[in-house]
PDB file of all heavy atoms in Angstrom:
ATOM      1  N   HIS A  14      -2.012   2.801  -0.593  1.00  0.00           N
ATOM      2  CA  HIS A  14      -1.292   1.876  -1.385  1.00  0.00           C
ATOM      3  C   HIS A  14      -2.217   0.753  -1.750  1.00  0.00           C
ATOM      4  O   HIS A  14      -2.584  -0.182  -1.035  1.00  0.00           O
ATOM      5  CB  HIS A  14      -0.129   1.204  -0.650  1.00  0.00           C
ATOM      6  CG  HIS A  14       0.729   0.283  -1.399  1.00  0.00           C
ATOM      7  ND1 HIS A  14       2.151   0.338  -1.189  1.00  0.00           N
ATOM      8  CD2 HIS A  14       0.491  -0.698  -2.187  1.00  0.00           C
ATOM      9  CE1 HIS A  14       2.629  -0.485  -2.005  1.00  0.00           C
ATOM     10  NE2 HIS A  14       1.734  -1.316  -2.623  1.00  0.00           N
ATOM     11  N   HIS A  16      -3.413  -1.762  -5.371  1.00  0.00           N
ATOM     12  CA  HIS A  16      -3.228  -2.243  -6.789  1.00  0.00           C
ATOM     13  C   HIS A  16      -4.642  -2.548  -7.366  1.00  0.00           C
ATOM     14  O   HIS A  16      -5.322  -3.348  -6.871  1.00  0.00           O
ATOM     15  CB  HIS A  16      -2.501  -3.531  -6.887  1.00  0.00           C
ATOM     16  CG  HIS A  16      -1.126  -3.362  -6.145  1.00  0.00           C
ATOM     17  ND1 HIS A  16      -0.050  -2.979  -7.034  1.00  0.00           N
ATOM     18  CD2 HIS A  16      -0.573  -3.377  -4.990  1.00  0.00           C
ATOM     19  CE1 HIS A  16       1.027  -2.861  -6.143  1.00  0.00           C
ATOM     20  NE2 HIS A  16       0.648  -3.018  -4.931  1.00  0.00           N
ATOM     21  N   HIS A 179       4.588  -0.574   2.836  1.00  0.00           N
ATOM     22  CA  HIS A 179       4.373  -2.003   3.517  1.00  0.00           C
ATOM     23  C   HIS A 179       5.392  -2.510   4.328  1.00  0.00           C
ATOM     24  O   HIS A 179       6.072  -3.430   4.063  1.00  0.00           O
ATOM     25  CB  HIS A 179       3.875  -2.962   2.491  1.00  0.00           C
ATOM     26  CG  HIS A 179       4.592  -2.970   1.124  1.00  0.00           C
ATOM     27  ND1 HIS A 179       5.839  -2.806   1.018  1.00  0.00           N
ATOM     28  CD2 HIS A 179       4.265  -2.797  -0.018  1.00  0.00           C
ATOM     29  CE1 HIS A 179       6.291  -2.856  -0.244  1.00  0.00           C
ATOM     30  NE2 HIS A 179       5.252  -2.778  -0.996  1.00  0.00           N
ATOM     31  N   ASP A 254      -1.965  -2.300   0.410  1.00  0.00           N
ATOM     32  CA  ASP A 254      -1.262  -3.236  -0.518  1.00  0.00           C
ATOM     33  C   ASP A 254      -2.279  -4.218  -1.017  1.00  0.00           C
ATOM     34  O   ASP A 254      -1.791  -5.418  -1.311  1.00  0.00           O
ATOM     35  CB  ASP A 254       0.010  -3.733   0.017  1.00  0.00           C
ATOM     36  CG  ASP A 254       0.892  -4.302  -1.045  1.00  0.00           C
ATOM     37  OD1 ASP A 254       0.670  -3.910  -2.184  1.00  0.00           O
ATOM     38  OD2 ASP A 254       1.731  -5.115  -0.650  1.00  0.00           O
TER      39      ASP A 254
HETATM   40 ZN1   ZN B   2       1.959  -3.128  -3.462  1.00  0.00          ZN
END
Side-chain angles (χ1 to χ4, degrees):
H14 185 135
H16 299 269
H179 40 49
D254 195 18

